[in-house]
Structures are given as C-alpha cells and as structure tokens.
Amino acid sequence: MPEGDDRHPFLEGLSRHRGAPSTIMVIFGASGDLTDRKLIPALFNLALDNLLPGEFHLIGYGRKEIPDEEFRQMAGESIRNFSRRPMDEKPWGDVKRNLSYHAGAYDDPESFKSLAEKISEIEKASGRELQLVFYISTPPTVFEPIIENLGASGLANHLVKGKPGAKVIIEKPFGRDLDSARKLNAVLGRNFDEKQVYRIDHYLGKETVQNLLVARFANAIFEPIWNREYVESVQITVAESVGVGSRGGYYDHSGALRDMIQNHTMQLLSLIAMEPPVSLDPESIRDEKVKVLKAIQPLVLDRLEEADVIRARYTEGLMEGKKVPGYLQEKDIPADSTTETYAALRLLINNWRWKGVPFYMRSGKRLARRVSEIAIQFKRPPGILFSEGRKFDVAHNTLVIQVQPDEGMTLLTNSKVPGLQTRTQPVKMHFRYSATFGSNTPEAYERLILDAIVGDSTLFIRGDETESSWRLVTPILESWDSLGNHGMARYAAGSWGPLEAERLLWSNGHQWRQTGI
Ligand code: BG6
C-alpha cells in the first residue's frame, strides 16, 4: 500500500477486483432514494479505492427530465450527504466525466431504443465493446416492463467479444409471494440467462454476514459442535429502532414478514445452518443454502395458540424519551391496516445436522434498539458438578455473532467467581471488528456492485433460492390475510416487542435473549 493511502486493510484481499472489465452501468430509478443514499456513495467509495474499471460510464435513467449537469450535481450531493468517507474531487472527477442522464419511461420501447443508441455511441467513442450492467432500483411495479424492454431492445443480448456482455442487478422486493416471484423469475428467464442475473439482498454484502462462512469453515473448533448434539437453539434477531417514516405507502403493502424475514433473516438462517460447501464457487455455496430452506419443516399455522408464527404492530410509545406515534397514526397508513410491523417464527430444520433444534427468528420496527445478531445457544453441561441442586447456576454457553451495529463476536462461558466459595458466573470473550480492523469498513453496496461488475454471484440470490424462501413464507401470508386483524398482537414503540412472542419459546423452556450482551 503506498504511503498515505487510507484504503481499508480488508481491501488488500480484494485486489483481484482490479481486473474489473470496462463497463457502462445504467441505473433505473436514478432519482430515487436508494440511488441517492447508497448507490452513488458506493460508486464513489469504489472510485476512491481505485476499484472501478479503468473505463467506467454511468447512465442514470428515470422518468423525470434532468439535465446531465444537474444529475452530476445531485450525485455530488449524495456523496457529501451519505458517503462513509468525505468527497475527494480527484477520483470522483474521473467518474463524473463519464456520468450522464437519460430520461425515459419504463414501459416505452422507444425510450429503450434511444438508450441503446446512446450506449452504442459511447462504445463507438471508446473504440471497443463494453460490458453493460443494468441496475434496477425502481419500485417493483416496473421491474417486469424494464426487463422485457431490455430484452426487446436487444440490450440484454449485448455481446462483448462474442460472449454475453450484459448483466442485470435487481433490487428487492423480489415478488410479494411465491406466484409473483415465480412470474418474475420467468420474465427474467425469457430475457436473460440465470448467470446474467444478480438478485440483491444487501445483508449478504455486510462484512459480518460474509464473515459467517469464514467463522464457520476457517476455524476447526466450531464445526464439530455445530449440530443437534451440542446446540440447544439458535436465535436470530433483526431489530430496528426506526418506524416506517416516509415509507408508509410501500411498507403497508409489505410488512415485517415480506420486508425483512423472507429475505434478510432467511439469508442469515441459511448461512448459519448450511453444510460446508464443496468449494467457494457461487453455485456450491448457493446449492447448500437452498438445501437448508428446503429442509425447513412446514409451519403450524392454523391454531393461533400453538402457531409457529406471531405478528404484531407497534402502538404509541417512547423512543429515547420522546413520544412517537403508533403504526396506525403514521403517514399514509390506513386506519384499517392489517399490516404487521413485527414478526417472530419458530422453525425446525429437518435434516441430519439440525433435527429437533429450534431456530427462532424475530424482526420488527420501533424496537428498543437497532441490533442484528445471531445467538447460538449450546446445551448446558450435565448438572453433576457445579449446578447440582441449583439447576440454573451454570449458564448456557452462547456464541453471539453481532451483525450490526458494533460488529463482532462474543462467546459466553462460565467462570469461577474469585473467592473462597465455588460459585460460577457467565463471562464474555469479545472480538470487535472496530478494535481489530478499524472502523472504516466498506458498505454492503460497495461489495455487491463490485462483485456484479466482476461477475462474482456468490453474494446474490439465485432464482430457486428466492422461490424456496417464498414457499415457506407464502402460507403464513395467506393465513394472516384470511384472519385480517384477528390475532394481531401489540407492542409499545420502544419496547422489545409483544409478550406473545415469548410463547413461541416457552414450550421448549427457552426465552428470547437480551440482545447486546
Ligand atoms: C430494507 C428494508 O431491506 O432493509 C427496510 O426494506 C429496512 O425496511 C432495511 O429498514 C434495514 O437495513 P439495514 O442495513 O439498515 O439493517
């Protein structure tokens, strides 16, 4: 690393990405929130680390008429407002020079024809064929017309040196149930080969999530005990303190199960539970993840008091001492809404490794704190020594993987309390990313955009993977649809969720962990 270079040490391992092919990236939904907050800042940080292709063109595509210069200014503002590192005009200048805007409708073949013309002009001026990366970051209602138009305009079949030279990155939500996900996969399949498709789940780009595979398979100590012989239960918590804010219109059609559980928490579950892949190539890893999803036992849904799922909605409460409204009082939420802002599930994975081990998952908005963690709770030691007669004296050993914030890993073990008596107390061994590696970790979108440009699909979701996960979640949605608000629990904003969520764990003698310890 040259002196004064503040590149993150992790990036050393990414040097292979320097071979990124010359690319034209088109962002659909260029004036949207995701482009503003995440995509442009991610591109800037890649430019800062010199990881973008030597020749890189960016075309923003959107319905609004925006002059090129204004779009360049908007991009500069995004960086100033949202980048993890401050604006540096020099590396950004190289990107800015090749940045333009194309106004067009998403369902209008003519707009795509003129996009194709623009692309071919860029190629002509460059004197070579360039890879095309289409990033669909629009509302889901226009995913299909965009994909069809990419096919019809010939852009999906763009060739570079006679080989497929177009890729499509597609944002969530990937469908709203099994049928719509299948339909979207079919539309993609008609216009692109699966190898060209990159379905985003930004949790997979998070450093700690990528570390799950390293923690499990680069350490010999965990794998022998990572099974039903030693593991008592697994808890996955993805808690948010934010409410729905200005996204009420979107959220009320989605809810916690679709917005977080079907994708983000299911991804965490499959990485935690999968078998070791035969290699690190994308297909081997994704094959193992799909097997986990397929092995999940169908859920009990019909008897509310025994169901494997519970849902709830936040009511008015206190967040950091300030009063905040309940979900039904938020902007754009109808008074008769049946949408849940919290969901918790109890799952069993019916395979050799996990048979009988409950996996608990919960996610919600307006919970006490923003925290995502995975806790592997191990069985207690037999109670013949330290816990005899005092059953709960010796705590479970627990391995906690903190996904965010305060990324790291903690192992809870039991220790003797100093003194003349023999008493035990749980103690913690901590590893913190920030303490070991510094705090300037790349954002998920940096890694994902770069991987798509380079052609590494490991951290993207395969078509059959989304369908497996929807297959599990769709019956829950159908059952909730038929119940309306019947069975919808409540929790005060700022709390840890509804009391009813405890019921899922009681029958096995478990309880939700207090997160962050
Ligand atoms: C998105 C959801 O996928 O993930 C949002 O649509 C949620 O509702 C967000 O807030 C959480 O992401 P992160 O990275 O902040 O945990």
Side-chain angles (χ1 to χ4, degrees):
M1 219 191 292
E3 218 180 311
D5 185 341
D6 71 341
R7 291 190 341 129
H8 193 280
F10 286 163
L11 295 172
E12 286 305 281
L14 288 178
S15 54
R16 66 196 169 101
H17 286 303
R18 285 161 188 255
S22 300
T23 297
I24 303 176
M25 176 179 263
V26 180
I27 300 182
F28 295 101
S31 57
D33 198 51
L34 190 76
T35 307
D36 184 29
R37 288 173 175 270
K38 298 288 179 188
L39 305 187
I40 298 288
L43 287 168
F44 162 71
N45 279 284
L46 289 174
L48 198 56
D49 289 325
N50 199 19
L51 289 167
L52 282 180
E55 181 171 354
F56 182 73
H57 301 261
L58 180 63
I59 305 177
Y61 187 118
R63 279 180 286 220
K64 270 191 221 155
E65 290 284 346
I66 302 177
D68 286 349
E69 192 41 43
E70 193 182 323
F71 187 59
R72 289 188 196 115
Q73 278 170 15
M74 283 163 60
E77 279 307 296
S78 301
I79 296 164
R80 277 180 276 274
N81 291 337
F82 301 113
S83 165
R84 69 185 164 92
R85 292 180 293 187
M87 172 60 116
D88 182 335
E89 295 290 350
K90 195 167 171 296
W92 183 242
D94 295 338
V95 180
K96 205 163 115 182
R97 215 166 302 125
N98 290 336
L99 203 162
S100 60
Y101 185 83
H102 187 83
Y106 297 122
D107 55 357
D108 169 30
E110 284 306 309
S111 306
F112 281 77
K113 219 168 120 198
S114 56
L115 175 67
E117 279 158 17
K118 181 169 195 156
I119 286 172
S120 92
E121 272 163 32
I122 295 176
E123 280 193 318
K124 230 178 267 159
S126 151
R128 54 179 152 168
E129 293 164 326
L130 303 170
Q131 155 172 263
L132 306 182
V133 176
F134 298 106
Y135 198 124
I136 307 183
S137 159
T138 60
T141 42
V142 291
F143 285 0
E144 291 184 15
I146 293 174
I147 298 162
E148 297 283 20
N149 275 316
L150 287 173
S153 61
L155 285 168
N157 296 321
H158 180 78
L159 298 178
V160 175
K161 295 191 186 139
K163 297 209 177 104
K167 292 168 181 163
V168 61
I169 307 177
I170 181 159
E171 262 300 329
K172 67 173 283 247
F174 196 88
R176 32 182 304 107
D177 53 19
L178 181 57
D179 278 354
S180 52
R182 275 191 181 138
K183 187 157 167 265
L184 190 50
N185 273 334
V187 174
L188 279 166
R190 272 204 302 278
N191 295 287
F192 289 91
D193 186 86
E194 177 66 25
K195 286 204 174 64
Q196 298 172 274
V197 180
Y198 293 75
R199 294 175 195 76
I200 290 248
D201 182 319
H202 77 279
Y203 267 56
L204 291 181
K206 290 183 190 274
E207 209 46 75
T208 30
V209 176
Q210 293 168 50
N211 191 41
L212 290 177
L213 288 187
V214 178
R216 284 192 57 193
F217 304 127
N219 292 300
I221 58 165
F222 296 130
E223 208 40 33
I225 53 169
W226 211 259
N227 56 50
R228 69 193 150 92
E229 298 295 335
Y230 296 92
V231 176
E232 169 87 19
S233 72
V234 177
Q235 292 189 13
I236 302 177
T237 300
V238 180
E240 294 189 275
S241 54
V242 290
V244 291
S246 57
R247 295 167 78 225
Y250 152 78
Y251 194 85
D252 202 57
H253 286 102
S254 175
L257 195 65
R258 284 193 175 97
D259 189 48
M260 300 296 284
I261 302 267
Q262 180 274 333
N263 37 50
H264 307 323
T265 46
M266 284 294 179
Q267 284 299 318
L268 299 180
L269 171 92
S270 44
L271 289 169
I272 279 294
M274 69 190 254
E275 294 300 317
V278 289
S279 80
L280 286 181
D281 73 81
E283 297 321 319
S284 305
I285 293 178
R286 299 193 297 182
D287 284 348
E288 295 306 334
K289 285 165 64 194
V290 170
K291 282 191 211 161
V292 172
L293 296 174
K294 284 189 174 158
I296 296 175
Q297 199 166 293
L299 303 174
V300 173
L301 300 171
D302 48 353
R303 297 172 304 277
L304 273 185
E305 51 311 327
E306 286 166 38
D308 287 325
V309 292
I310 81 112
R311 62 184 167 143
R313 188 153 65 210
Y314 63 83
T315 55
E316 189 182 87
L318 288 178
M319 303 282 316
E320 289 171 1
K322 271 205 217 118
K323 204 158 135 182
V324 294
Y327 179 70
L328 295 180
Q329 286 79 52
E330 299 271 21
K331 191 167 163 275
D332 298 330
I333 306 299
D336 59 352
S337 168
T338 55
T339 302
E340 80 289 352
T341 60
Y342 175 102
L345 276 70
R346 173 177 57 201
L347 304 173
L348 286 171
I349 301 173
N350 237 336
N351 64 14
W352 193 271
R353 183 187 287 265
W354 293 118
K355 176 92 186 163
V357 178
F359 282 73
Y360 305 111
M361 308 204 289
R362 59 178 166 168
S363 178
K365 297 232 182 260
R366 278 286 187 238
L367 295 175
R369 225 157 16 88
R370 175 176 184 253
V371 54
S372 299
E373 63 160 54
I374 303 164
I376 320 288
Q377 194 164 64
F378 294 93
K379 293 191 170 163
R380 282 182 209 276
I384 45 171
L385 294 175
F386 302 109
S387 55
E388 201 164 16
R390 286 170 297 157
K391 202 163 161 227
F392 295 108
D393 221 11
V394 176
H396 291 276
N397 294 135
T398 306
L399 178 68
V400 185
I401 299 162
Q402 280 98 4
V403 175
Q404 65 189 19
D406 199 16
E407 292 82 354
M409 247 197 249
T410 301
L411 181 63
L412 291 159
T413 59
N414 290 301
S415 173
K416 180 181 174 303
V417 179
L420 300 181
Q421 289 171 321
T422 300
R423 281 198 300 123
T424 64
Q425 182 181 308
V427 292
K428 301 178 220 169
M429 287 191 242
H430 279 312
F431 149 64
R432 286 284 164 274
Y433 269 78
S434 53
T436 308
F437 297 117
S439 55
N440 217 354
T441 308
E443 284 243 355
Y445 277 96
E446 294 171 41
R447 174 68 196 248
L448 295 175
I449 290 175
L450 187 56
D451 279 5
I453 291 176
V454 173
D456 182 346
S457 52
T458 313
L459 302 177
F460 295 84
I461 321 278
R462 213 167 55 187
D464 56 342
E465 213 175 333
T466 61
E467 289 185 21
S468 299
S469 145
W470 277 120
R471 195 166 293 117
L472 191 81
V473 159
T474 302
I476 310 177
L477 292 167
E478 286 169 355
S479 129
W480 287 353
D481 268 355
S482 69
L483 290 167
N485 270 324
H486 179 62
M488 175 79 74
R490 298 205 175 107
Y491 61 101
S495 70
W496 272 110
L499 193 62
E500 286 82 343
E502 297 296 337
R503 179 189 56 76
L504 290 181
L505 285 70
W506 281 338
S507 54
N508 294 312
H510 300 146
Q511 60 192 127
W512 289 110
R513 243 179 64 77
Q514 210 179 322
T515 55
I517 55 167

